[in-house]
Amino acid sequence: DCALLVVAATAGEFEAGISGEGQTNEHALLAYTLGVKQVILVVNKMDQPNQDPKTGENKPFLGARFDEIKDNVFIRLKKIGYNLEKVQAVPISGFHGDNMLEPSANMPWWKGPTLLGALNNLEVPKRPVDKPLRLPIQDVFKIGGIGTVPVGRVETGILRPGQVITIAPANLSTEVKSVEMHHTALEQATPGDNVGFNVKNIAVKDLKRGFVVGDSRVDPPQETEKFVAQVMIMNHPGEIHSN
């Protein structure tokens, strides 16, 4: 739904993060590649002293340092493809709790939201519950007294206890006995839920990571001959061309 891009205001740390070997750019590009279109830039460690460009003194909670970091990161986010009108930036001190839940007296120059307020400003995306069930299996466990329990994240559709499912590409069909999330039984799991579900009469060895679960009655998953993919190139040494 949203990515929190946390960067440090400490002198040298931010600069290292946006350098060629740093991870700030890589994390932002990864989030965009994975389809995360909402970003909150969280500038942490504002309590660390930085040089005031006007006086030359080292001061904590410096607004000029926040503006410098925000401007630099926003340039990179725009190059990646983000709409900057939907990107929020928030200065905080995680160690001291400044501007996380309530406005901070240490940053009177900041008139924007707290971190909690920025989270509340996000747009809640529409869940694809009306599409056929698709749940890629991430792992499979054998639990004593229960049986075979695959786990994974519901991408589309709804998973319910009692539902007859098909697992591709092995083309196995079985009934879902129960669905749980964080050890709590669910009446249904919807897109975004990471769940474990107990299945009947299937051994752990018959299921593998990457298998896909679907509803046997509504467009079950099948093998495909070809598919269209979007490839995001993270880095390359030179020119990209055919062959």
Side-chain angles (χ1 to χ4, degrees), residues 112-174:
T114 62
L115 179 56
L116 179 61
L119 290 169
N120 287 332
N121 289 337
L122 295 171
E123 297 176 5
V124 180
K126 184 178 180 295
R127 306 294 183 191
V129 293
D130 53 342
K131 293 186 176 181
L133 172 65
R134 292 293 184 269
L135 185 155
I137 294 175
Q138 295 173 3
D139 213 336
V140 189
F141 301 97
K142 184 173 181 62
I143 300 177
I146 297 177
T148 302
V149 178
V151 297
R153 179 179 183 270
V154 180
E155 298 294 338
T156 60
I158 298 174
L159 180 69
R160 298 183 178 91
Q163 189 173 9
V164 179
I165 57 172
T166 295
I167 303 172
N171 201 28
L172 301 169
S173 289
T174 184

Side-chain angles (χ1 to χ4, degrees), residues 50-116:
N50 281 284
Q51 190 176 51
D52 189 330
K54 292 182 180 178
T55 65
E57 297 178 45
N58 281 336
K59 297 179 181 178
F61 300 104
L62 198 62
R65 178 62 169 168
F66 170 76
D67 291 337
E68 176 192 3
I69 292 172
K70 175 187 170 184
D71 291 345
N72 269 285
V73 175
F74 270 33
I75 289 171
R76 287 162 171 77
L77 292 177
K78 186 175 182 180
K79 285 181 180 177
I80 289 170
Y82 280 103
N83 178 3
L84 296 185
E85 292 182 3
K86 293 192 174 183
V87 179
Q88 303 179 80
V90 181
I92 68 164
S93 167
F95 187 73
H96 295 286
D98 288 86
N99 204 45
M100 295 187 71
L101 302 179
E102 297 176 355
S104 169
N106 291 317
M107 293 184 280
W109 47 267
W110 177 246
K111 307 302 181 187
T114 62
L115 179 56
L116 179 61

